Amino acid sequence: MAEPVVTVDGWSALHDTRHFDWTAWKSISEDERNQAINEFQELIKQWETVEENKEGSHNIFKVVGNKADLMFIFLRETMDELEEIKTAINKTVLGDFLIPGYSYVSIIEMTMHDPMKAGDDRELSPYVKERLKPTMPKWEHACFYPMSRRRDSDANWFTIDKEERTRLLYEHGMTGRQYAGKVKEIITGSIGLDEWEWGVTLFAHDPLQFKKIVYEMRFDEVTTKYAEFGDFIMGNYLATDELGDYLALS
Ligand code: VOV
């Protein structure tokens, strides 16, 4: 029967991309630039405390290509906190140079589709807890894209039986498991929150693995028949202590 599947939901997620106004940045003095960097590093320290306390997680990436310059990813217990973070960034001096670009709002989600976990109370298992409220890996690269399930008359994800959806996602999971240690994924649900139905955030040491996994999954029936994709954004990890170098002009 085409019935909804139960989801277990975790932290809220904000993918916040910014264009950096290099022209304006070059027009202020070195002292002003250093003050702006120091002030921003204090803000990052607050995020680090939240992460150490396992109350959220954050990552910053230098975006390759011109869709943005930086992509911030924040995970928090509530949407209120995500909005406060965005506003806190905008209130800093550096925020004047961080021009808001594309953003994506979603909530970490796991479904009860996985037959390997059937019978478990997924909400109670430490594995599920870690997946719903994860500390994001500080790996070298990330790739984010939104996606939806197709709703064509001859291929409609929302009209097929739950058992069939479970079978298709099981096959998908088996492909994914071959990338253990190479690709980590965070799947966020965004129905009712943003334009697409899911957000896919992938982490890897080697960006070639993004191309490989996404290509290989194109041949899984669940993707071939039922997946539609938005724009991809790829970035390189920016550690807090590298922010000064990233923004240095000489
Ligand atoms: C890194 C590898 C990897 C692994 C191990 C993995 C496993 C799994 C499992 C076991 C499950 C189902 C249970 C659950 O936990 O929800 C899912 C669920 C999902 N996935 Fe996935 N996925 C991966 C990776 C992975 C990728 C690369 C993509 C993008 C698809 C592509 O073609 O580019 C993706 C998408 C999704 C989505 C949109 C969902 C929710 C679909 C829905 O309709 O409900 N996913 N996924």
Side-chain angles (χ1 to χ4, degrees):
M1 210 177 84
E3 56 182 307
V5 66
V6 175
T7 63
V8 283
D9 303 282
W11 278 339
S12 298
L14 172 64
H15 292 69
D16 180 337
T17 75
R18 304 284 177 135
H19 287 279
F20 195 76
D21 189 344
W22 290 104
T23 308
W25 186 241
K26 284 173 202 164
S27 73
I28 63 170
S29 71
E30 195 173 349
D31 272 1
E32 287 171 312
R33 285 197 296 269
N34 288 338
Q35 276 174 27
I37 292 168
N38 291 341
E39 181 199 30
F40 205 78
Q41 269 163 340
E42 288 305 311
L43 183 61
I44 295 177
K45 274 189 197 143
Q46 293 175 22
W47 303 340
E48 285 171 346
T49 306
V50 171
E51 191 165 86
E52 281 159 23
N53 294 338
K54 302 224 171 283
E55 290 165 342
S57 185
H58 68 276
N59 271 356
I60 310 174
F61 296 94
K62 297 170 278 183
V63 173
V64 182
N66 287 328
K67 285 176 187 145
D69 289 310
L70 293 171
M71 174 168 65
F72 295 85
I73 308 178
F74 298 104
L75 304 177
R76 287 293 185 275
E77 192 68 48
T78 64
M79 289 285 173
D80 290 342
E81 289 164 274
L82 292 178
E83 186 280 328
E84 282 161 19
I85 290 173
K86 182 196 77 176
T87 304
I89 293 175
N90 291 342
K91 283 182 180 172
T92 62
V93 174
L94 199 70
D96 291 347
F97 304 88
L98 291 166
I99 312 303
Y102 174 79
S103 66
Y104 206 79
V105 176
S106 52
I107 297 177
I108 297 183
E109 166 185 303
M110 285 179 81
T111 60
M112 302 297 280
H113 270 307
D114 188 346
M116 291 174 83
K117 299 277 191 305
D120 285 358
D121 183 343
R122 299 190 78 183
E123 213 148 358
L124 291 181
S125 104
Y127 164 78
V128 171
K129 274 193 181 152
E130 174 52 34
R131 298 218 41 161
L132 293 176
K133 300 185 174 189
T135 297
M136 283 184 276
K138 308 307 177 203
W139 288 8
E140 290 87 335
H141 307 279
C143 169
F144 171 76
Y145 52 99
M147 60 176 287
S148 292
R149 292 282 176 226
R150 196 161 285 149
R151 265 176 284 164
D152 289 352
S153 52
D154 56 344
N156 186 334
W157 180 251
F158 296 94
T159 57
I160 58 173
D161 283 358
K162 191 173 160 190
E163 290 70 26
E164 175 66 352
R165 281 178 282 142
T166 300
R167 182 187 72 75
L168 292 166
L169 283 172
Y170 176 74
E171 184 189 59
H172 160 83
M174 293 314 278
T175 304
R177 284 189 181 98
Q178 290 168 33
Y179 287 82
K182 292 184 193 156
V183 178
K184 280 196 186 177
E185 94 285 10
I186 295 180
I187 302 298
T188 50
S190 48
I191 294 180
L193 300 172
D194 219 315
E195 209 171 328
W196 296 75
E197 293 171 348
W198 284 275
V200 179
T201 309
L202 305 176
F203 304 91
H205 298 296
D206 176 358
L208 180 62
Q209 298 303 324
F210 297 140
K211 182 171 167 297
K212 286 191 179 291
I213 190 170
V214 174
Y215 176 72
E216 196 175 339
M217 284 188 172
R218 293 282 149 110
F219 293 91
D220 288 342
E221 205 180 335
V222 70
T223 301
T224 314
K225 247 182 160 170
Y226 297 107
E228 312 264 5
F229 297 94
D231 282 351
F232 286 62
I233 297 180
M234 219 286 286
N236 302 333
Y237 182 69
L238 178 66
T240 313
D241 56 6
E242 288 167 3
L243 184 69
D245 283 348
Y246 174 74
L247 294 170
L249 295 181
S250 52

